[in-house]
Coordinates of all heavy atoms in Angstrom, one line a residue:
M13 N 172.6 -16.1 53.3 CA 172.5 -14.8 53.9 C 172.2 -13.8 52.8 O 172.9 -13.7 51.8 CB 173.9 -14.5 54.6 CG 173.9 -13.1 55.2 SD 175.4 -12.8 56.1 CE 175.2 -11.0 56.4
K14 N 171.2 -13.1 53.0 CA 170.8 -12.1 52.0 C 171.2 -10.7 52.4 O 170.8 -10.2 53.5 CB 169.3 -12.2 51.8 CG 168.8 -11.3 50.6 CD 167.3 -11.6 50.4 CE 166.8 -10.8 49.2 NZ 167.4 -11.4 47.9
S15 N 171.8 -10.0 51.6 CA 172.2 -8.6 51.8 C 171.5 -7.7 50.8 O 171.8 -7.8 49.6 CB 173.7 -8.4 51.8 OG 174.1 -7.1 52.0
V16 N 170.6 -6.9 51.3 CA 170.0 -5.9 50.4 C 170.7 -4.6 50.4 O 170.7 -3.9 51.4 CB 168.5 -5.8 50.8 CG1 167.8 -4.7 49.9 CG2 167.8 -7.1 50.8
S17 N 171.4 -4.3 49.4 CA 172.1 -3.1 49.3 C 171.9 -2.6 47.8 O 172.8 -2.8 47.0 CB 173.6 -3.3 49.6 OG 174.3 -2.1 49.4
C18 N 170.8 -1.9 47.6 CA 170.5 -1.7 46.3 C 169.9 -0.2 46.1 O 168.8 0.1 46.6 CB 169.4 -2.7 45.8 SG 168.8 -2.4 44.2
P19 N 170.7 0.7 45.6 CA 170.2 2.1 45.5 C 169.0 2.2 44.5 O 168.3 3.2 44.6 CB 171.4 2.9 45.0 CG 172.2 1.8 44.3 CD 172.0 0.5 45.1
V20 N 168.9 1.3 43.6 CA 167.8 1.3 42.6 C 166.4 1.4 43.3 O 165.6 2.2 42.9 CB 167.8 0.1 41.7 CG1 166.7 0.2 40.7 CG2 169.2 0.1 40.9
C21 N 166.3 0.6 44.3 CA 165.0 0.5 45.0 C 165.0 1.2 46.3 O 164.1 1.0 47.2 CB 164.6 -1.0 45.1 SG 165.7 -1.9 46.1
A22 N 166.1 1.8 46.6 CA 166.3 2.5 47.9 C 166.2 1.5 49.1 O 165.7 1.7 50.1 CB 165.4 3.7 48.1
W23 N 166.7 0.3 48.8 CA 166.7 -0.8 49.9 C 165.3 -1.3 50.3 O 165.2 -1.9 51.3 CB 167.5 -0.3 51.1 CG 169.0 -0.1 50.7 CD1 170.0 -1.0 50.8 CD2 169.6 1.1 50.3 NE1 171.2 -0.5 50.4 CE2 170.9 0.8 50.1 CE3 169.1 2.4 50.0 CZ2 171.9 1.8 49.6 CZ3 170.0 3.4 49.6 CH2 171.3 3.1 49.4
S24 N 164.3 -1.0 49.5 CA 163.0 -1.4 49.9 C 162.7 -2.7 49.3 O 161.8 -3.4 49.7 CB 161.9 -0.4 49.4 OG 161.9 -0.4 47.9
G25 N 163.4 -3.1 48.2 CA 163.1 -4.3 47.5 C 162.0 -4.2 46.4 O 161.7 -5.1 45.7
W26 N 161.5 -3.0 46.3 CA 160.4 -2.7 45.3 C 160.7 -1.5 44.5 O 161.2 -0.5 45.0 CB 159.1 -2.5 46.0 CG 158.6 -3.7 46.8 CD1 158.9 -4.0 48.1 CD2 157.9 -4.8 46.3 NE1 158.5 -5.2 48.5 CE2 157.8 -5.7 47.4 CE3 157.4 -5.1 45.1 CZ2 157.1 -7.0 47.2 CZ3 156.7 -6.3 44.9 CH2 156.6 -7.2 46.0
V27 N 160.4 -1.6 43.2 CA 160.6 -0.5 42.3 C 159.2 -0.2 41.7 O 158.2 -0.9 41.8 CB 161.6 -0.8 41.2 CG1 163.0 -1.0 41.7 CG2 161.2 -2.1 40.4
C28 N 159.2 1.0 41.0 CA 158.0 1.3 40.3 C 157.8 0.4 39.1 O 158.8 0.1 38.4 CB 158.1 2.8 39.8 SG 156.8 3.3 38.7
E29 N 156.6 -0.1 38.9 CA 156.4 -1.0 37.8 C 156.6 -0.4 36.4 O 157.0 -1.1 35.5 CB 154.9 -1.5 37.9 CG 154.6 -2.6 36.9 CD 153.1 -3.1 37.1 OE1 152.2 -2.3 36.9 OE2 153.0 -4.3 37.5
V30 N 156.4 0.9 36.4 CA 156.6 1.6 35.1 C 158.0 2.0 34.9 O 158.6 1.9 33.8 CB 155.7 2.8 35.0 CG1 155.8 3.6 33.7 CG2 154.2 2.4 35.3
H31 N 158.7 2.5 36.0 CA 160.1 2.9 36.0 C 160.9 2.0 36.9 O 161.0 2.3 38.1 CB 160.1 4.4 36.4 CG 159.2 5.3 35.7 ND1 157.9 5.7 36.3 CD2 159.2 5.9 34.5 CE1 157.4 6.5 35.4 NE2 158.1 6.6 34.4
T32 N 161.4 1.0 36.3 CA 162.1 0.0 37.2 C 163.4 0.4 37.6 O 164.1 -0.4 38.3 CB 162.2 -1.4 36.4 OG1 162.8 -1.1 35.1 CG2 160.8 -1.9 36.2
D33 N 163.8 1.6 37.3 CA 165.1 2.1 37.8 C 164.8 3.1 39.0 O 165.7 3.8 39.5 CB 165.9 2.8 36.7 CG 165.1 4.0 36.1 OD1 163.9 4.0 36.2 OD2 165.8 4.8 35.5
R34 N 163.6 3.2 39.4 CA 163.3 4.1 40.6 C 162.6 3.3 41.7 O 161.8 2.3 41.4 CB 162.3 5.2 40.1 CG 162.8 6.0 38.9 CD 161.7 7.0 38.6 NE 162.0 7.6 37.3 CZ 161.2 8.5 36.7 NH1 160.1 8.8 37.3 NH2 161.5 9.0 35.6
P35 N 162.8 3.6 42.9 CA 162.0 3.0 44.0 C 160.5 3.3 43.9 O 160.1 4.3 43.4 CB 162.6 3.6 45.3 CG 163.3 4.8 44.8 CD 163.7 4.7 43.4
S36 N 159.8 2.3 44.4 CA 158.3 2.5 44.3 C 157.9 3.4 45.5 O 158.3 3.2 46.6 CB 157.6 1.2 44.5 OG 156.2 1.4 44.7
E37 N 157.0 4.3 45.2 CA 156.5 5.2 46.3 C 155.6 4.4 47.3 O 155.4 4.8 48.4 CB 155.7 6.4 45.8 CG 154.3 6.0 45.2 CD 153.5 7.3 45.1 OE1 153.8 8.4 45.6 OE2 152.4 7.2 44.5
V38 N 155.1 3.3 46.8 CA 154.3 2.4 47.6 C 155.1 1.9 48.8 O 154.6 1.8 49.9 CB 153.7 1.2 46.8 CG1 152.9 0.3 47.7 CG2 152.8 1.8 45.6
A39 N 156.3 1.5 48.5 CA 157.2 0.9 49.5 C 158.2 1.9 50.1 O 158.8 1.6 51.1 CB 157.9 -0.3 48.9
T40 N 158.4 3.0 49.4 CA 159.5 3.9 49.8 C 159.0 5.3 49.8 O 158.5 5.8 48.8 CB 160.6 3.7 48.8 OG1 160.9 2.3 48.6 CG2 161.9 4.4 49.3
E41 N 159.2 6.0 50.9 CA 158.9 7.4 50.9 C 159.9 8.1 49.9 O 161.0 7.9 49.9 CB 159.1 8.0 52.3 CG 158.0 7.7 53.3 CD 158.1 8.5 54.6 OE1 158.5 9.7 54.5 OE2 157.8 7.9 55.6
G42 N 159.2 9.0 49.1 CA 160.0 9.7 48.1 C 160.3 8.9 46.9 O 161.1 9.3 46.1
G43 N 159.6 7.8 46.8 CA 159.8 7.0 45.5 C 159.1 7.6 44.4 O 158.5 8.7 44.4
C44 N 159.1 6.9 43.3 CA 158.4 7.4 42.0 C 157.0 7.7 42.3 O 156.3 6.9 42.9 CB 158.6 6.3 40.9 SG 158.0 7.0 39.4
S45 N 156.5 8.8 41.9 CA 155.2 9.3 42.2 C 154.3 9.2 41.0 O 153.3 10.0 40.9 CB 155.2 10.7 42.8 OG 155.8 11.6 41.9
C46 N 154.6 8.4 40.0 CA 153.8 8.4 38.8 C 152.5 7.6 39.0 O 151.6 7.7 38.2 CB 154.6 7.8 37.7 SG 154.8 6.0 37.8
G47 N 152.4 7.0 40.2 CA 151.2 6.3 40.5 C 151.2 4.8 40.0 O 150.3 4.1 40.1
G48 N 152.4 4.4 39.5 CA 152.5 3.0 39.0 C 152.5 2.1 40.2 O 152.8 2.4 41.3
A49 N 152.2 0.8 39.9 CA 152.2 -0.2 41.0 C 153.6 -0.5 41.3 O 154.6 -0.2 40.6 CB 151.5 -1.5 40.4
A50 N 153.8 -1.2 42.4 CA 155.1 -1.7 42.8 C 155.4 -3.0 42.1 O 154.6 -3.8 41.9 CB 155.2 -1.9 44.3
A51 N 156.7 -3.1 41.8 CA 157.2 -4.4 41.2 C 158.4 -4.8 41.9 O 159.2 -4.0 42.4 CB 157.4 -4.2 39.7
P52 N 158.6 -6.1 42.1 CA 159.8 -6.5 42.8 C 161.1 -6.1 42.1 O 161.2 -6.2 40.9 CB 159.8 -8.1 42.8 CG 158.3 -8.4 42.5 CD 157.8 -7.2 41.7
C53 N 162.0 -5.5 42.8 CA 163.3 -5.1 42.2 C 164.1 -6.4 41.9 O 163.9 -7.4 42.3 CB 164.0 -4.2 43.2 SG 165.6 -3.7 42.7
K54 N 165.1 -6.1 41.0 CA 166.0 -7.2 40.7 C 166.7 -7.8 41.9 O 167.2 -9.0 41.8 CB 167.0 -6.8 39.6 CG 168.0 -5.7 40.1 CD 168.8 -5.2 39.0 CE 169.7 -4.0 39.5 NZ 170.5 -3.4 38.4
C55 N 166.8 -7.0 43.0 CA 167.4 -7.5 44.2 C 166.4 -8.3 45.0 O 166.8 -8.8 46.1 CB 168.0 -6.3 44.9 SG 166.8 -5.3 45.7
N56 N 165.2 -8.3 44.6 CA 164.1 -8.9 45.4 C 163.3 -9.8 44.4 O 162.1 -9.7 44.3 CB 163.3 -7.8 46.0 CG 162.1 -8.4 46.8 OD1 162.2 -9.5 47.4 ND2 161.0 -7.6 46.9
P57 N 164.0 -10.7 43.7 CA 163.2 -11.6 42.7 C 162.2 -12.4 43.3 O 161.2 -12.8 42.6 CB 164.4 -12.3 42.0 CG 165.5 -12.4 43.0 CD 165.4 -11.1 43.8
D58 N 162.4 -12.8 44.5 CA 161.4 -13.7 45.1 C 160.3 -13.0 45.9 O 159.5 -13.6 46.6 CB 162.1 -14.7 46.0 CG 163.1 -15.6 45.2 OD1 162.7 -15.9 44.0 OD2 164.2 -15.9 45.7
A59 N 160.4 -11.7 45.9 CA 159.4 -10.9 46.6 C 159.4 -11.3 48.1 O 158.4 -11.6 48.6 CB 158.0 -11.0 46.0
V60 N 160.6 -11.3 48.7 CA 160.7 -11.7 50.1 C 160.0 -10.7 51.0 O 159.7 -11.0 52.1 CB 162.2 -11.9 50.5 CG1 162.7 -13.1 49.7 CG2 163.0 -10.7 50.3
Y61 N 159.9 -9.5 50.5 CA 159.2 -8.5 51.3 C 157.7 -8.7 51.2 O 157.2 -9.0 50.1 CB 159.6 -7.1 51.0 CG 161.1 -6.9 51.1 CD1 161.9 -7.2 50.1 CD2 161.5 -6.4 52.4 CE1 163.3 -7.0 50.3 CE2 162.9 -6.3 52.6 CZ 163.8 -6.6 51.5 OH 165.1 -6.4 51.7
D62 N 156.9 -8.5 52.2 CA 155.5 -8.8 52.2 C 154.7 -7.9 51.4 O 154.5 -6.7 51.7 CB 155.0 -8.8 53.7 CG 153.7 -9.4 53.8 OD1 152.9 -9.5 52.7 OD2 153.3 -9.8 54.9
F63 N 154.4 -8.4 50.2 CA 153.7 -7.5 49.2 C 152.4 -7.1 49.8 O 152.0 -5.9 49.6 CB 153.5 -8.4 47.9 CG 153.1 -7.5 46.7 CD1 154.1 -6.8 46.1 CD2 151.8 -7.5 46.2 CE1 153.8 -6.0 45.0 CE2 151.5 -6.8 45.1 CZ 152.5 -6.0 44.5
A64 N 151.6 -8.0 50.3 CA 150.3 -7.6 50.9 C 150.4 -6.6 51.9 O 149.6 -5.7 52.0 CB 149.6 -8.9 51.5
A65 N 151.4 -6.7 52.8 CA 151.6 -5.7 53.8 C 151.9 -4.3 53.2 O 151.4 -3.3 53.8 CB 152.7 -6.1 54.8
V66 N 152.6 -4.3 52.2 CA 153.0 -3.0 51.6 C 151.7 -2.3 51.1 O 151.5 -1.2 51.3 CB 153.9 -3.3 50.4 CG1 154.1 -2.0 49.5 CG2 155.3 -3.8 50.9
F67 N 150.9 -3.1 50.4 CA 149.6 -2.5 49.9 C 148.6 -2.3 51.0 O 147.8 -1.3 50.8 CB 149.1 -3.4 48.8 CG 149.8 -3.2 47.5 CD1 150.9 -4.0 47.0 CD2 149.4 -2.1 46.7 CE1 151.5 -3.7 45.9 CE2 150.1 -1.9 45.5 CZ 151.1 -2.7 45.1
A68 N 148.6 -3.1 52.0 CA 147.7 -2.9 53.1 C 147.9 -1.5 53.7 O 147.0 -0.8 54.2 CB 147.8 -3.9 54.1
A69 N 149.1 -1.1 53.7 CA 149.5 0.3 54.3 C 148.9 1.4 53.5 O 148.7 2.5 54.0 CB 151.0 0.4 54.4
V70 N 148.7 1.1 52.2 CA 148.2 2.2 51.3 C 146.7 2.1 51.2 O 146.1 3.1 51.3 CB 148.9 2.0 49.9 CG1 148.3 3.0 48.9 CG2 150.4 2.1 50.0
D71 N 146.2 0.9 51.0 CA 144.8 0.8 50.7 C 144.2 -0.5 51.4 O 144.1 -1.6 50.8 CB 144.6 0.8 49.3 CG 143.1 0.7 48.9 OD1 142.2 0.9 49.8 OD2 142.7 0.5 47.7
P72 N 143.9 -0.4 52.7 CA 143.5 -1.7 53.4 C 142.2 -2.3 52.8 O 142.0 -3.5 52.8 CB 143.1 -1.1 54.8 CG 143.9 0.1 55.0 CD 144.0 0.7 53.5
E73 N 141.4 -1.5 52.1 CA 140.2 -2.0 51.5 C 140.5 -3.0 50.4 O 139.7 -3.8 50.0 CB 139.4 -0.8 50.9 CG 138.9 0.1 52.0 CD 137.9 -0.5 52.9 OE1 137.1 -1.3 52.4 OE2 137.9 -0.3 54.1
S74 N 141.7 -2.8 49.8 CA 142.1 -3.7 48.7 C 142.5 -5.1 49.1 O 142.6 -6.0 48.3 CB 143.2 -3.0 47.9 OG 144.4 -3.1 48.6
V75 N 142.8 -5.2 50.4 CA 143.2 -6.5 50.9 C 142.0 -7.3 51.3 O 141.4 -7.0 52.4 CB 144.2 -6.3 52.0 CG1 144.7 -7.7 52.5 CG2 145.4 -5.5 51.6
K76 N 141.6 -8.3 50.5 CA 140.4 -9.0 50.8 C 140.8 -10.5 51.3 O 139.9 -11.2 51.6 CB 139.6 -9.1 49.6 CG 139.0 -7.8 49.2 CD 138.1 -7.9 48.0 CE 137.3 -6.6 47.8 NZ 138.2 -5.5 47.5
D77 N 142.0 -10.8 51.3 CA 142.4 -12.1 51.5 C 143.2 -12.3 52.8 O 144.3 -12.9 52.8 CB 143.2 -12.7 50.3 CG 143.3 -14.2 50.3 OD1 142.4 -14.8 50.9 OD2 144.2 -14.7 49.7
W78 N 142.7 -11.6 53.9 CA 143.4 -11.7 55.1 C 143.3 -13.2 55.6 O 142.4 -14.0 55.2 CB 142.7 -10.9 56.2 CG 142.8 -9.4 55.9 CD1 141.8 -8.6 55.5 CD2 144.0 -8.6 56.0 NE1 142.3 -7.3 55.4 CE2 143.6 -7.3 55.7 CE3 145.3 -8.9 56.4 CZ2 144.5 -6.2 55.7 CZ3 146.2 -7.8 56.4 CH2 145.8 -6.5 56.1
V79 N 144.3 -13.6 56.4 CA 144.3 -14.9 56.9 C 143.0 -15.2 57.8 O 142.7 -14.5 58.7 CB 145.5 -15.2 57.8 CG1 145.6 -16.5 58.4 CG2 146.8 -14.9 56.9
H80 N 142.3 -16.2 57.4 CA 141.1 -16.5 58.1 C 141.3 -17.6 59.2 O 142.1 -18.5 59.0 CB 140.1 -17.1 57.2 CG 139.7 -16.2 56.1 ND1 138.9 -15.0 56.3 CD2 140.1 -16.1 54.8 CE1 138.8 -14.4 55.1 NE2 139.5 -15.0 54.2
Ligands
LIG118 ZN1 166.7 -3.3 44.6
LIG119 ZN1 157.1 5.5 38.0

């Protein structure tokens, strides 16, 4: 049973790649706005949250590997 209760990433499972003590704006509204990429938070070491889906919401053009 996995319980995500992490204020570092604001429960999103993702932090800013540059500032790993802040939630990523890619995955979290109001997250770090430095423009850094998202990186898995320490509470999300296996990246259980769908990384592709996170980025698809931001830039669908960047997703080239949709399920065929
Ligand atoms: Zn976290
Ligand atoms: Zn940042």
Side-chain angles (χ1 to χ4, degrees):
M13 178 174 172
K14 188 177 184 66
S15 175
V16 178
S17 178
C18 180
V20 176
C21 62
W23 296 269
S24 68
W26 296 92
V27 293
C28 174
E29 187 177 64
V30 181
H31 309 99
T32 53
D33 59 340
R34 303 181 194 172
S36 168
E37 75 163 347
V38 177
T40 312
E41 281 192 38
C44 186
S45 58
C46 75
C53 181
K54 61 186 176 183
C55 71
N56 181 28
D58 298 322
V60 295
Y61 299 87
D62 193 339
F63 197 74
V66 169
F67 279 94
V70 175
D71 184 9
E73 297 294 320
S74 71
V75 180
K76 294 182 169 60
D77 199 21
W78 294 109
V79 176
H80 299 288

